[in-house]
Amino acid sequence: MVSRIGREIDLSPVELGSRVGGKVRINMASGTPDPRVIPIEEIKNAYEEVLQEKGPRSLFYPGAGGQPELIEEIRRFVPSLNLSLDKEDKIVVTSGAQHAIELISKYFLDNDVVAVENPTFVETFMAMKLRSNVTLPIDLDSEGMDVSSLERITKIVRPKLVYVIPNCHNPAGVNMSYERRKALVELASARDFYVVEDDPYRPIAGCVPPPIKSFDREGRVIYVSSFSKIIAPGLRVGFIVAKGEIAEKLSLLEQLDFSTSTINQYVVANLLRRGLVSKRMTTLAMHYSEKMKILTESLDDAGIFKFNPPKCGFFALVDLRTDAERVFEVATKDGLSFVKAKAFFLRGGDTMARLSVTIPTAEEIKEGVTILKRSVLDVKL
Amino acid sequence: MVSRIGREIDLSPVELGSRVGGKVRINMASGTPDPRVIPIEEIKNAYEEVLQEKGPRSLFYPGAGGQPELIEEIRRFVPSLNLSLDKEDKIVVTSGAQHAIELISKYFLDNDVVAVENPTFVETFMAMKLRSNVTLPIDLDSEGMDVSSLERITKIVRPKLVYVIPNCHNPAGVNMSYERRKALVELASARDFYVVEDDPYRPIAGCVPPPIKSFDREGRVIYVSSFSKIIAPGLRVGFIVAKGEIAEKLSLLEQLDFSTSTINQYVVANLLRRGLVSKRMTTLAMHYSEKMKILTESLDDAGIFKFNPPKCGFFALVDLRTDAERVFEVATKDGLSFVKAKAFFLRGGDTMARLSVTIPTAEEIKEGVTILKRSVLDVKL
């Protein structure tokens, strides 16, 4: 007999989707950033410089919590995320947002109650699900999580954590409205819960409302960010901003894995110092928004799909209005892969597909939608 | 109220020791490999080659379980660790040995019983301790864990996991004997427990008995290795070898953190392919054994210390025969830092010090022992 986590862990549908996705001609499954905009040369130079300047020190064990030089660079960087830190805010460097959420879940949860958007990102959510007994699915619309619905539910059950992806939602593509961000923080205070604000898309989001954390005066919001979208996911560097004891403890919990590469932390610090990250923010927001425009126009033209036009990011969540499982089977044979979005839903979602614009070219996006339409019609026949 | 792990996590004495260690002239506290033997140039070339050859692919998200190319290189490499894999053995790439043990603990433990050597490495052990209710401390002597003592105890209490550091023990410097390795596997079968064989020092150990895992026919031994000592810790790459379902599940558990850098995995694969790792094994074993000889000779000459001469690795565990806490206070003022070893013991250890040979030069080691002797005499006055 193993642990509860050991018994319940399973292959994530996203991981499965990306294994299938890689084998199919048009890959609209993958959540990886567009390979064409990964700054290979700049990263190569950064490794060279770091090894030159720091020598062996760049390859020592990382300290728990992150390398001070990177923390300092992140401190200078966060204002461009529309986040101003106060004296009590601390930065904890992590191996990306996924690791951040694993640390947060480990810190807070022992078979507790959590509330999440329905749908939510199944992969980050897994870390919470495996440590909670009750999950409250809160409806999501074009304005993000329905906070009034959360307000009603929390009259009866109090969650310990509320997990939110406020910008370029994965899989739904929506942004949470300014009013709801504010209302969520007020509710957190009234009902005594913590908010996990998972915000990895902000650096490539363009213009979005301020972080939920910026409304928080009580240290109830734990902010999670990442360099995966703005630099590259393979470095595995992200960070948490949280207050006082929570930040201290999350940083101590890193002693259990010491998983964030020291040299990669210095590489990210180098790129931040050179202004590469800030410079790319506008360019990448435009890049992805152009690709997304092609997708939404193609979907509109096809005339049979229902979806909320994504505000930013990589994904559109599309209602195929027929069994997505069967469409998936037909489409993959025809050269298109996507992620069957049922897995993102705590209830419903059988007809939903998540389409990503990062890997395919403009032409492939158009062709992908054609295949998708054909597959839907085929299944409906 | 947070989770049990959240409540109980605390600063590790090793982490504390290395924070103090860095500020003192002679650092015999740090467990980091000797900076003089980190292959900076080779690593620099490897990054350049990987980025050149693989381009953006080297910076994609890592898959759970590790990159197939690295797994293949590790498969070719393990025979030089005296380990032969059979068909059921699987390799799981991790962010170093610490992350490996975190994954194993997460998989097996829900408030269970574990048995460990007394003393044991407090930092890796922490991942188990925070998930177990009972820890059985098993005596350790110059032949490693006293398996007959484990045999007696397990008549009364059955542990789920037994954690062993078989080579160049941290902090005790000893190797487990051939006979005890064999006996441990037989006991695991008879009493139905699993063995976690934490073997990060083997690549720099020189000639040591075969892995405990090599005696195992039932998949009861989970083997943990690392490239931290043989290449560099800052890459955060290590691996697990385990059988069947255990390996599958450990690999799935990586979906919760996705913490092992993709590019660093390719860098290690590159260095393995070029034979750098195998080539360094003999050289580094000699390097550390020469430094250790200087330490043990100095300790012998000092005439007041009791210790088992380390067989290999970085550490000697020395009985100061007086309160190590007080000696530490005096010694650090005098320019020497070490780790007070009480923290490694589940019982006893008040007079013990862990001395590391990696950072100090030969001269500094000698001077360190002089300071240590002076401090001990000072405290005894």
Side-chain angles (χ1 to χ4, degrees), chain A residues 282-294:
Chain A
T282 321
T283 333
L284 288 193
M286 280 175 56
H287 175 79
Y288 288 115
S289 115
E290 277 162 23
K291 287 186 114 174
M292 189 56 84
K293 196 164 160 247
I294 295 163

Side-chain angles (χ1 to χ4, degrees), chain A residues 1 3-4 10 12 44 52 59 61 102 106-107 110 123 160 229 234 236 255 258 261-262 264, chain B residues 1 3-4 10 12 44 52 59 61 102 106-107 110 160 229 234 236 255 258 261-262 264:
Chain A
M1 194 63 159
S3 71
R4 179 189 161 187
D10 208 348
S12 125
K44 201 191 283 175
Q52 198 68 47
L59 290 156
Y61 283 98
E102 170 67 0
K106 211 182 275 178
Y107 175 65
D110 254 344
E123 211 145 280
K160 191 181 267 184
K229 323 298 179 193
R236 309 314 300 130
Q255 297 176 125
F258 279 120
S261 159
T262 322
N264 293 7
Chain B
M1 193 61 158
S3 72
R4 178 189 160 188
D10 208 347
S12 128
K44 201 191 282 174
Q52 198 67 46
L59 290 158
Y61 282 99
E102 169 68 0
K106 211 183 273 178
Y107 175 63
D110 253 343
K160 190 181 268 185
K229 323 296 180 193
R236 309 313 300 132
Q255 297 176 127
F258 279 120
S261 157
T262 321
N264 293 7

Side-chain angles (χ1 to χ4, degrees), chain A residues 1-13 15-16 19 31-36 38-41 43-44 47-48 51-52 55-64 95-96 98-99 101-102 105-110 112 123 126-128 130-131 160 226 228-229 232-236 245 249 251-264 359, chain B residues 1-13 15-16 19 31-36 38-41 43-44 47-48 51-52 55-64 95-96 98-99 101-102 105-110 112 123 126-128 130-131 160 226 228-229 232-236 245 249 251-264 359:
Chain A
M1 194 63 159
V2 298
S3 71
R4 179 189 161 187
I5 292 183
R7 287 192 306 278
E8 295 184 5
I9 186 75
D10 208 348
L11 186 65
S12 125
E15 186 73 357
L16 181 68
R19 287 180 195 183
T32 208
D34 188 340
R36 298 163 198 88
I38 290 183
I40 295 287
E41 282 309 313
I43 291 172
K44 201 191 283 175
Y47 274 112
E48 209 181 310
L51 283 162
Q52 198 68 47
R57 267 215 307 138
S58 61
L59 290 156
F60 283 7
Y61 283 98
S95 311
Q98 179 74 51
H99 179 233
I101 288 167
E102 170 67 0
S105 306
K106 211 182 275 178
Y107 175 65
F108 278 104
L109 301 174
D110 254 344
D112 296 288
E123 211 145 280
M126 201 191 275
M128 290 177 211
L130 292 174
R131 295 181 175 94
K160 191 181 267 184
S226 167
S228 289
K229 323 298 179 193
L235 300 172
R236 309 314 300 130
E245 198 197 348
K249 290 295 181 101
S251 144
L252 288 178
L253 279 175
E254 294 195 328
Q255 297 176 125
L256 296 179
D257 54 52
F258 279 120
S259 66
T260 317
S261 159
T262 322
I263 182 166
N264 293 7
I359 302 268
Chain B
M1 193 61 158
V2 298
S3 72
R4 178 189 160 188
I5 293 183
R7 286 193 305 278
E8 296 184 5
I9 187 75
D10 208 347
L11 186 65
S12 128
E15 186 75 356
L16 180 66
R19 287 182 194 182
T32 206
D34 188 340
R36 298 163 198 88
I38 290 182
I40 295 287
E41 280 309 313
I43 291 172
K44 201 191 282 174
Y47 274 112
E48 208 181 312
L51 283 162
Q52 198 67 46
R57 268 215 307 138
S58 62
L59 290 158
F60 283 9
Y61 282 99
S95 311
Q98 179 75 50
H99 179 233
I101 288 168
E102 169 68 0
S105 306
K106 211 183 273 178
Y107 175 63
F108 279 103
L109 300 174
D110 253 343
D112 295 289
E123 211 145 282
M126 201 191 274
M128 290 177 211
L130 293 174
R131 295 180 174 96
K160 190 181 268 185
S226 165
S228 290
K229 323 296 180 193
L235 300 172
R236 309 313 300 132
E245 199 196 348
K249 289 297 179 98
S251 143
L252 288 178
L253 279 175
E254 294 195 328
Q255 297 176 127
L256 296 179
D257 54 52
F258 279 120
S259 65
T260 317
S261 157
T262 321
I263 182 165
N264 293 7
I359 303 270

Side-chain angles (χ1 to χ4, degrees), chain B residues 20-21 46 49 58 64 79 82-83 104 106 110 140 248 250 269 278 283-285 303 306 357 365 367 374:
Chain B
V20 175
E49 263 187 40
S58 62
N82 215 342
L83 194 63
I104 294 165
K106 211 183 273 178
D110 253 343
L140 181 84
E248 301 274 4
L250 292 174
S278 314
T283 333
L284 288 193
K306 218 174 97 190
V357 298
I365 292 172
E367 195 192 337
R374 197 158 60 218

